[in-house]
Amino acid sequence: MSLITLTSDIGHQDYLVGAIKAQLIQINPEFRLVDISHNISPFNYPQTAYICRSAVQHFPPYSYHLILVNLFEKRPERLLLAFHQEQYFLCADNGLLNMILEGKPEMVIGVPLDKSEIRNTLHCTSVMGRVVNELMQGTALTQIGEPDIAYTEKNHLRPLLDQNYIEGQIIFIDNFENVIVNITREQFEEQRRGRSFRIVFKRDEVIDRISESYADVQEGEKLAIFNSANYLEIAINKGNAAGLFGLKGFSEKTRQVAGIMQNQLFYQTVRVYFE
């Protein structure tokens, strides 16, 4: 039986996560549910994309990924079912899909929602569960809904590339307050071209080498590593980098008010200079 993952910005304060799981199990008691995270910052697309993208690559082919983030950016008329690189994705038509995949999916199906139903979180989840059940029973993708539909797209958050530097945004702050930047090891090395470098953040903090682990520096010292997902991470050995340096995560809200809050961008970006 294939795995079904759950990712949401619901949190664990109320009943919803438990109700969602109970609802899915009622659809098919053999569903194998795996939580990726329910602690996504509300409506935070870059964070959602990073977490889902980093987790999905470790799941076996033909797993199902239910993404319950910002389901109601607009009044939902349908959900999206996508198939890409042997994985299924179900989410709202809100622009998040191509941010997770960093491009267009191989196939997209529009799954209509019943207009006579109250289209709340539990209803949307029940529709997703029924879709998964049908696919597991052998129903063809094209019979689930309308194939090759037009859907909302948003640009995924890319670092700014220049001849002599690369500038990334902070997309996630983990439980230890380590700071993850949207610069991958591949992008870093491609821009670096064997040159020395300086990682600069908060105007005047500098790191000039990549460590293999936190233990490469003394306790309380800052370091840069590429994490398990191969993204650049700024950390302090047994400390909290985000809190100490005042660093903050980038979000769609930041993008919308960036013109008013330019001073905040110093605390949300990291620049790597190559020399």
Side-chain angles (χ1 to χ4, degrees):
M1 187 65 65
S2 297
L3 300 176
I4 301 173
T5 75
L6 299 171
T7 304
S8 80
D9 55 0
I10 294 170
H12 290 282
Q13 288 76 21
D14 64 21
Y15 69 94
L16 260 181
V17 172
I20 286 167
K21 291 180 179 181
Q23 186 181 61
L24 291 171
I25 290 169
Q26 286 192 68
I27 293 171
N28 187 335
E30 295 186 5
F31 280 171
R32 296 170 61 194
L33 306 180
V34 178
D35 292 311
I36 292 179
S37 177
H38 295 291
N39 292 318
I40 303 288
S41 299
F43 321 118
N44 192 319
Y45 284 20
Q47 187 183 108
T48 306
Y50 163 73
I51 289 175
C52 287
R53 187 165 57 244
S54 299
V56 163
Q57 62 183 307
H58 298 287
F59 281 83
Y62 309 107
S63 296
Y64 299 86
H65 306 286
L66 278 55
I67 303 156
L68 311 173
V69 174
N70 200 15
L71 289 174
F72 308 107
E73 180 171 84
K74 56 186 177 182
R75 183 173 177 81
E77 303 296 334
R78 66 187 178 195
L79 299 172
L80 298 182
L81 165 64
F83 183 74
H84 188 73
Q85 295 182 350
E86 298 186 320
Q87 302 287 335
Y88 293 99
F89 299 84
L90 282 146
C91 63
D93 184 8
N94 58 11
L96 185 54
L97 178 63
N98 66 291
M99 291 184 70
I100 294 171
L101 304 181
E102 294 186 305
K104 292 182 179 295
E106 296 165 18
M107 182 179 293
V108 179
I109 305 293
V111 180
L113 294 174
D114 188 342
K115 294 183 179 180
S116 66
E117 297 280 351
I118 298 175
R119 285 164 278 179
N120 55 23
T121 299
L122 287 175
H123 175 67
C124 291
T125 307
S126 70
V127 172
M128 291 181 179
R130 289 196 295 271
V131 166
V132 171
N133 198 44
E134 288 182 39
L135 290 169
M136 286 182 174
Q137 301 304 320
T139 303
L141 270 170
T142 52
Q143 295 179 336
I144 298 291
E146 181 183 355
D148 300 323
I149 60 164
Y151 57 93
T152 304
E153 296 184 59
K154 291 188 176 182
N155 294 326
H156 58 274
L157 196 59
R158 295 174 172 152
L160 175 64
L161 305 180
D162 186 81
Q163 180 78 12
N164 296 314
Y165 70 82
I166 180 171
E167 182 177 279
Q169 292 79 37
I170 296 170
I171 52 174
F172 186 61
I173 297 172
D174 70 15
N175 193 49
F176 298 95
E177 296 201 23
N178 301 322
V179 172
I180 290 85
V181 184
N182 66 329
I183 298 174
T184 65
R185 186 192 295 271
E186 182 181 8
Q187 291 167 329
F188 177 87
E189 294 297 347
E190 186 175 323
Q191 288 295 109
R192 180 185 181 186
R193 299 193 298 277
R195 294 177 288 178
S196 60
F197 61 88
R198 291 181 298 119
I199 301 172
V200 181
F201 54 98
K202 199 189 170 185
R203 294 191 178 96
D204 54 2
E205 294 290 341
V206 178
I207 301 173
D208 59 6
R209 71 186 183 100
I210 300 295
S211 298
E212 291 186 5
S213 76
Y214 304 112
D216 286 355
V217 302
Q218 294 295 316
E219 187 172 324
E221 290 187 6
K222 62 181 181 287
L223 70 147
I225 64 172
F226 284 100
N227 68 8
S228 299
N230 272 324
Y231 280 81
L232 181 65
E233 179 177 313
I234 307 296
I236 294 175
N237 185 15
K238 295 186 178 176
N240 51 354
L244 182 62
F245 297 124
L247 299 173
K248 301 176 182 179
F250 189 89
S251 68
E252 288 296 302
K253 186 176 294 185
T254 302
R255 190 200 300 269
Q256 294 164 8
V257 300
I260 302 171
M261 301 175 63
Q262 283 291 332
N263 62 315
Q264 292 295 311
L265 297 182
F266 287 109
Y267 301 95
Q268 299 167 343
T269 59
V270 173
R271 183 172 287 196
V272 183
Y273 291 96
F274 301 107
E275 300 165 342

mmCIF file with all atom_site columns, all heavy atoms in Angstrom, residues 127-143:
data_model
loop_
_atom_site.group_PDB
_atom_site.id
_atom_site.type_symbol
_atom_site.label_atom_id
_atom_site.label_alt_id
_atom_site.label_comp_id
_atom_site.label_asym_id
_atom_site.label_entity_id
_atom_site.label_seq_id
_atom_site.pdbx_PDB_ins_code
_atom_site.Cartn_x
_atom_site.Cartn_y
_atom_site.Cartn_z
_atom_site.occupancy
_atom_site.B_iso_or_equiv
_atom_site.pdbx_formal_charge
_atom_site.auth_seq_id
_atom_site.auth_comp_id
_atom_site.auth_asym_id
_atom_site.auth_atom_id
_atom_site.pdbx_PDB_model_num
ATOM 1   N N   . VAL A 1 127 ? -12.186 14.943 -0.280  1.00 0.00 ? 127 VAL A N   1
ATOM 2   C CA  . VAL A 1 127 ? -12.081 14.812 -1.741  1.00 0.00 ? 127 VAL A CA  1
ATOM 3   C C   . VAL A 1 127 ? -10.709 14.252 -2.111  1.00 0.00 ? 127 VAL A C   1
ATOM 4   O O   . VAL A 1 127 ? -10.581 13.351 -2.946  1.00 0.00 ? 127 VAL A O   1
ATOM 5   C CB  . VAL A 1 127 ? -12.320 16.173 -2.427  1.00 0.00 ? 127 VAL A CB  1
ATOM 6   C CG1 . VAL A 1 127 ? -12.011 16.083 -3.920  1.00 0.00 ? 127 VAL A CG1 1
ATOM 7   C CG2 . VAL A 1 127 ? -13.759 16.633 -2.211  1.00 0.00 ? 127 VAL A CG2 1
ATOM 8   N N   . MET A 1 128 ? -9.653  14.783 -1.480  1.00 0.00 ? 128 MET A N   1
ATOM 9   C CA  . MET A 1 128 ? -8.304  14.276 -1.734  1.00 0.00 ? 128 MET A CA  1
ATOM 10  C C   . MET A 1 128 ? -8.210  12.788 -1.398  1.00 0.00 ? 128 MET A C   1
ATOM 11  O O   . MET A 1 128 ? -7.635  11.996 -2.146  1.00 0.00 ? 128 MET A O   1
ATOM 12  C CB  . MET A 1 128 ? -7.283  15.055 -0.909  1.00 0.00 ? 128 MET A CB  1
ATOM 13  C CG  . MET A 1 128 ? -7.095  16.493 -1.331  1.00 0.00 ? 128 MET A CG  1
ATOM 14  S SD  . MET A 1 128 ? -5.836  17.312 -0.274  1.00 0.00 ? 128 MET A SD  1
ATOM 15  C CE  . MET A 1 128 ? -5.799  18.959 -0.999  1.00 0.00 ? 128 MET A CE  1
ATOM 16  N N   . GLY A 1 129 ? -8.785  12.400 -0.251  1.00 0.00 ? 129 GLY A N   1
ATOM 17  C CA  . GLY A 1 129 ? -8.745  10.998 0.159   1.00 0.00 ? 129 GLY A CA  1
ATOM 18  C C   . GLY A 1 129 ? -9.454  10.092 -0.824  1.00 0.00 ? 129 GLY A C   1
ATOM 19  O O   . GLY A 1 129 ? -8.965  8.989  -1.142  1.00 0.00 ? 129 GLY A O   1
ATOM 20  N N   . ARG A 1 130 ? -10.599 10.529 -1.321  1.00 0.00 ? 130 ARG A N   1
ATOM 21  C CA  . ARG A 1 130 ? -11.331 9.714  -2.294  1.00 0.00 ? 130 ARG A CA  1
ATOM 22  C C   . ARG A 1 130 ? -10.553 9.588  -3.607  1.00 0.00 ? 130 ARG A C   1
ATOM 23  O O   . ARG A 1 130 ? -10.562 8.533  -4.249  1.00 0.00 ? 130 ARG A O   1
ATOM 24  C CB  . ARG A 1 130 ? -12.721 10.307 -2.531  1.00 0.00 ? 130 ARG A CB  1
ATOM 25  C CG  . ARG A 1 130 ? -13.657 10.136 -1.337  1.00 0.00 ? 130 ARG A CG  1
ATOM 26  C CD  . ARG A 1 130 ? -15.105 10.376 -1.715  1.00 0.00 ? 130 ARG A CD  1
ATOM 27  N NE  . ARG A 1 130 ? -15.356 11.755 -2.121  1.00 0.00 ? 130 ARG A NE  1
ATOM 28  C CZ  . ARG A 1 130 ? -15.699 12.730 -1.288  1.00 0.00 ? 130 ARG A CZ  1
ATOM 29  N NH1 . ARG A 1 130 ? -15.817 12.478 0.016   1.00 0.00 ? 130 ARG A NH1 1
ATOM 30  N NH2 . ARG A 1 130 ? -15.933 13.958 -1.731  1.00 0.00 ? 130 ARG A NH2 1
ATOM 31  N N   . VAL A 1 131 ? -9.877  10.673 -4.000  1.00 0.00 ? 131 VAL A N   1
ATOM 32  C CA  . VAL A 1 131 ? -9.047  10.633 -5.209  1.00 0.00 ? 131 VAL A CA  1
ATOM 33  C C   . VAL A 1 131 ? -7.928  9.606  -5.040  1.00 0.00 ? 131 VAL A C   1
ATOM 34  O O   . VAL A 1 131 ? -7.676  8.780  -5.923  1.00 0.00 ? 131 VAL A O   1
ATOM 35  C CB  . VAL A 1 131 ? -8.466  12.029 -5.522  1.00 0.00 ? 131 VAL A CB  1
ATOM 36  C CG1 . VAL A 1 131 ? -7.339  11.935 -6.549  1.00 0.00 ? 131 VAL A CG1 1
ATOM 37  C CG2 . VAL A 1 131 ? -9.555  12.958 -6.022  1.00 0.00 ? 131 VAL A CG2 1
ATOM 38  N N   . VAL A 1 132 ? -7.248  9.652  -3.892  1.00 0.00 ? 132 VAL A N   1
ATOM 39  C CA  . VAL A 1 132 ? -6.170  8.695  -3.635  1.00 0.00 ? 132 VAL A CA  1
ATOM 40  C C   . VAL A 1 132 ? -6.713  7.267  -3.679  1.00 0.00 ? 132 VAL A C   1
ATOM 41  O O   . VAL A 1 132 ? -6.112  6.367  -4.283  1.00 0.00 ? 132 VAL A O   1
ATOM 42  C CB  . VAL A 1 132 ? -5.508  8.974  -2.267  1.00 0.00 ? 132 VAL A CB  1
ATOM 43  C CG1 . VAL A 1 132 ? -4.541  7.850  -1.903  1.00 0.00 ? 132 VAL A CG1 1
ATOM 44  C CG2 . VAL A 1 132 ? -4.778  10.317 -2.292  1.00 0.00 ? 132 VAL A CG2 1
ATOM 45  N N   . ASN A 1 133 ? -7.855  7.052  -3.065  1.00 0.00 ? 133 ASN A N   1
ATOM 46  C CA  . ASN A 1 133 ? -8.446  5.713  -3.034  1.00 0.00 ? 133 ASN A CA  1
ATOM 47  C C   . ASN A 1 133 ? -8.763  5.223  -4.441  1.00 0.00 ? 133 ASN A C   1
ATOM 48  O O   . ASN A 1 133 ? -8.510  4.057  -4.777  1.00 0.00 ? 133 ASN A O   1
ATOM 49  C CB  . ASN A 1 133 ? -9.711  5.732  -2.180  1.00 0.00 ? 133 ASN A CB  1
ATOM 50  C CG  . ASN A 1 133 ? -10.130 4.344  -1.739  1.00 0.00 ? 133 ASN A CG  1
ATOM 51  O OD1 . ASN A 1 133 ? -9.314  3.539  -1.323  1.00 0.00 ? 133 ASN A OD1 1
ATOM 52  N ND2 . ASN A 1 133 ? -11.420 4.060  -1.852  1.00 0.00 ? 133 ASN A ND2 1
ATOM 53  N N   . GLU A 1 134 ? -9.308  6.104  -5.279  1.00 0.00 ? 134 GLU A N   1
ATOM 54  C CA  . GLU A 1 134 ? -9.610  5.719  -6.656  1.00 0.00 ? 134 GLU A CA  1
ATOM 55  C C   . GLU A 1 134 ? -8.344  5.365  -7.427  1.00 0.00 ? 134 GLU A C   1
ATOM 56  O O   . GLU A 1 134 ? -8.306  4.379  -8.175  1.00 0.00 ? 134 GLU A O   1
ATOM 57  C CB  . GLU A 1 134 ? -10.349 6.858  -7.370  1.00 0.00 ? 134 GLU A CB  1
ATOM 58  C CG  . GLU A 1 134 ? -11.779 7.046  -6.904  1.00 0.00 ? 134 GLU A CG  1
ATOM 59  C CD  . GLU A 1 134 ? -12.481 8.149  -7.688  1.00 0.00 ? 134 GLU A CD  1
ATOM 60  O OE1 . GLU A 1 134 ? -12.256 8.239  -8.912  1.00 0.00 ? 134 GLU A OE1 1
ATOM 61  O OE2 . GLU A 1 134 ? -13.227 8.937  -7.076  1.00 0.00 ? 134 GLU A OE2 1
ATOM 62  N N   . LEU A 1 135 ? -7.299  6.163  -7.248  1.00 0.00 ? 135 LEU A N   1
ATOM 63  C CA  . LEU A 1 135 ? -6.037  5.884  -7.937  1.00 0.00 ? 135 LEU A CA  1
ATOM 64  C C   . LEU A 1 135 ? -5.451  4.548  -7.478  1.00 0.00 ? 135 LEU A C   1
ATOM 65  O O   . LEU A 1 135 ? -4.932  3.774  -8.283  1.00 0.00 ? 135 LEU A O   1
ATOM 66  C CB  . LEU A 1 135 ? -5.036  7.013  -7.691  1.00 0.00 ? 135 LEU A CB  1
ATOM 67  C CG  . LEU A 1 135 ? -5.363  8.352  -8.362  1.00 0.00 ? 135 LEU A CG  1
ATOM 68  C CD1 . LEU A 1 135 ? -4.455  9.461  -7.843  1.00 0.00 ? 135 LEU A CD1 1
ATOM 69  C CD2 . LEU A 1 135 ? -5.226  8.241  -9.884  1.00 0.00 ? 135 LEU A CD2 1
ATOM 70  N N   . MET A 1 136 ? -5.553  4.277  -6.173  1.00 0.00 ? 136 MET A N   1
ATOM 71  C CA  . MET A 1 136 ? -5.038  3.005  -5.659  1.00 0.00 ? 136 MET A CA  1
ATOM 72  C C   . MET A 1 136 ? -5.834  1.817  -6.204  1.00 0.00 ? 136 MET A C   1
ATOM 73  O O   . MET A 1 136 ? -5.289  0.713  -6.330  1.00 0.00 ? 136 MET A O   1
ATOM 74  C CB  . MET A 1 136 ? -5.101  2.998  -4.128  1.00 0.00 ? 136 MET A CB  1
ATOM 75  C CG  . MET A 1 136 ? -4.047  3.864  -3.464  1.00 0.00 ? 136 MET A CG  1
ATOM 76  S SD  . MET A 1 136 ? -4.152  3.739  -1.653  1.00 0.00 ? 136 MET A SD  1
ATOM 77  C CE  . MET A 1 136 ? -2.700  4.681  -1.164  1.00 0.00 ? 136 MET A CE  1
ATOM 78  N N   . GLN A 1 137 ? -7.101  2.054  -6.533  1.00 0.00 ? 137 GLN A N   1
ATOM 79  C CA  . GLN A 1 137 ? -7.935  0.984  -7.086  1.00 0.00 ? 137 GLN A CA  1
ATOM 80  C C   . GLN A 1 137 ? -7.724  0.809  -8.584  1.00 0.00 ? 137 GLN A C   1
ATOM 81  O O   . GLN A 1 137 ? -8.334  -0.064 -9.208  1.00 0.00 ? 137 GLN A O   1
ATOM 82  C CB  . GLN A 1 137 ? -9.421  1.275  -6.814  1.00 0.00 ? 137 GLN A CB  1
ATOM 83  C CG  . GLN A 1 137 ? -9.795  1.420  -5.345  1.00 0.00 ? 137 GLN A CG  1
ATOM 84  C CD  . GLN A 1 137 ? -9.406  0.229  -4.507  1.00 0.00 ? 137 GLN A CD  1
ATOM 85  O OE1 . GLN A 1 137 ? -9.541  -0.905 -4.938  1.00 0.00 ? 137 GLN A OE1 1
ATOM 86  N NE2 . GLN A 1 137 ? -8.908  0.483  -3.306  1.00 0.00 ? 137 GLN A NE2 1
ATOM 87  N N   . GLY A 1 138 ? -6.872  1.664  -9.172  1.00 0.00 ? 138 GLY A N   1
ATOM 88  C CA  . GLY A 1 138 ? -6.531  1.497  -10.585 1.00 0.00 ? 138 GLY A CA  1
ATOM 89  C C   . GLY A 1 138 ? -7.224  2.454  -11.536 1.00 0.00 ? 138 GLY A C   1
ATOM 90  O O   . GLY A 1 138 ? -7.062  2.340  -12.765 1.00 0.00 ? 138 GLY A O   1
ATOM 91  N N   . THR A 1 139 ? -7.980  3.430  -11.015 1.00 0.00 ? 139 THR A N   1
ATOM 92  C CA  . THR A 1 139 ? -8.623  4.413  -11.894 1.00 0.00 ? 139 THR A CA  1
ATOM 93  C C   . THR A 1 139 ? -7.567  5.264  -12.579 1.00 0.00 ? 139 THR A C   1
ATOM 94  O O   . THR A 1 139 ? -6.594  5.699  -11.957 1.00 0.00 ? 139 THR A O   1
ATOM 95  C CB  . THR A 1 139 ? -9.569  5.323  -11.085 1.00 0.00 ? 139 THR A CB  1
ATOM 96  O OG1 . THR A 1 139 ? -10.525 4.514  -10.407 1.00 0.00 ? 139 THR A OG1 1
ATOM 97  C CG2 . THR A 1 139 ? -10.288 6.299  -11.995 1.00 0.00 ? 139 THR A CG2 1
ATOM 98  N N   . ALA A 1 140 ? -7.740  5.517  -13.860 1.00 0.00 ? 140 ALA A N   1
ATOM 99  C CA  . ALA A 1 140 ? -6.778  6.313  -14.613 1.00 0.00 ? 140 ALA A CA  1
ATOM 100 C C   . ALA A 1 140 ? -6.845  7.776  -14.194 1.00 0.00 ? 140 ALA A C   1
ATOM 101 O O   . ALA A 1 140 ? -7.921  8.281  -13.832 1.00 0.00 ? 140 ALA A O   1
ATOM 102 C CB  . ALA A 1 140 ? -7.055  6.199  -16.112 1.00 0.00 ? 140 ALA A CB  1
ATOM 103 N N   . LEU A 1 141 ? -5.702  8.437  -14.244 1.00 0.00 ? 141 LEU A N   1
ATOM 104 C CA  . LEU A 1 141 ? -5.648  9.859  -13.887 1.00 0.00 ? 141 LEU A CA  1
ATOM 105 C C   . LEU A 1 141 ? -6.664  10.675 -14.658 1.00 0.00 ? 141 LEU A C   1
ATOM 106 O O   . LEU A 1 141 ? -7.343  11.544 -14.099 1.00 0.00 ? 141 LEU A O   1
ATOM 107 C CB  . LEU A 1 141 ? -4.242  10.410 -14.175 1.00 0.00 ? 141 LEU A CB  1
ATOM 108 C CG  . LEU A 1 141 ? -3.195  10.357 -13.070 1.00 0.00 ? 141 LEU A CG  1
ATOM 109 C CD1 . LEU A 1 141 ? -1.834  10.708 -13.626 1.00 0.00 ? 141 LEU A CD1 1
ATOM 110 C CD2 . LEU A 1 141 ? -3.563  11.312 -11.950 1.00 0.00 ? 141 LEU A CD2 1
ATOM 111 N N   . THR A 1 142 ? -6.773  10.433 -15.937 1.00 0.00 ? 142 THR A N   1
ATOM 112 C CA  . THR A 1 142 ? -7.653  11.234 -16.790 1.00 0.00 ? 142 THR A CA  1
ATOM 113 C C   . THR A 1 142 ? -9.125  11.033 -16.482 1.00 0.00 ? 142 THR A C   1
ATOM 114 O O   . THR A 1 142 ? -9.967  11.805 -16.934 1.00 0.00 ? 142 THR A O   1
ATOM 115 C CB  . THR A 1 142 ? -7.390  10.915 -18.274 1.00 0.00 ? 142 THR A CB  1
ATOM 116 O OG1 . THR A 1 142 ? -7.460  9.496  -18.472 1.00 0.00 ? 142 THR A OG1 1
ATOM 117 C CG2 . THR A 1 142 ? -5.996  11.402 -18.691 1.00 0.00 ? 142 THR A CG2 1
ATOM 118 N N   . GLN A 1 143 ? -9.450  9.989  -15.698 1.00 0.00 ? 143 GLN A N   1
ATOM 119 C CA  . GLN A 1 143 ? -10.846 9.752  -15.325 1.00 0.00 ? 143 GLN A CA  1
ATOM 120 C C   . GLN A 1 143 ? -11.207 10.403 -13.987 1.00 0.00 ? 143 GLN A C   1
ATOM 121 O O   . GLN A 1 143 ? -12.374 10.424 -13.606 1.00 0.00 ? 143 GLN A O   1
ATOM 122 C CB  . GLN A 1 143 ? -11.124 8.247  -15.244 1.00 0.00 ? 143 GLN A CB  1
ATOM 123 C CG  . GLN A 1 143 ? -11.002 7.551  -16.592 1.00 0.00 ? 143 GLN A CG  1
ATOM 124 C CD  . GLN A 1 143 ? -11.256 6.053  -16.490 1.00 0.00 ? 143 GLN A CD  1
ATOM 125 O OE1 . GLN A 1 143 ? -11.088 5.467  -15.417 1.00 0.00 ? 143 GLN A OE1 1
ATOM 126 N NE2 . GLN A 1 143 ? -11.670 5.447  -17.594 1.00 0.00 ? 143 GLN A NE2 1
#
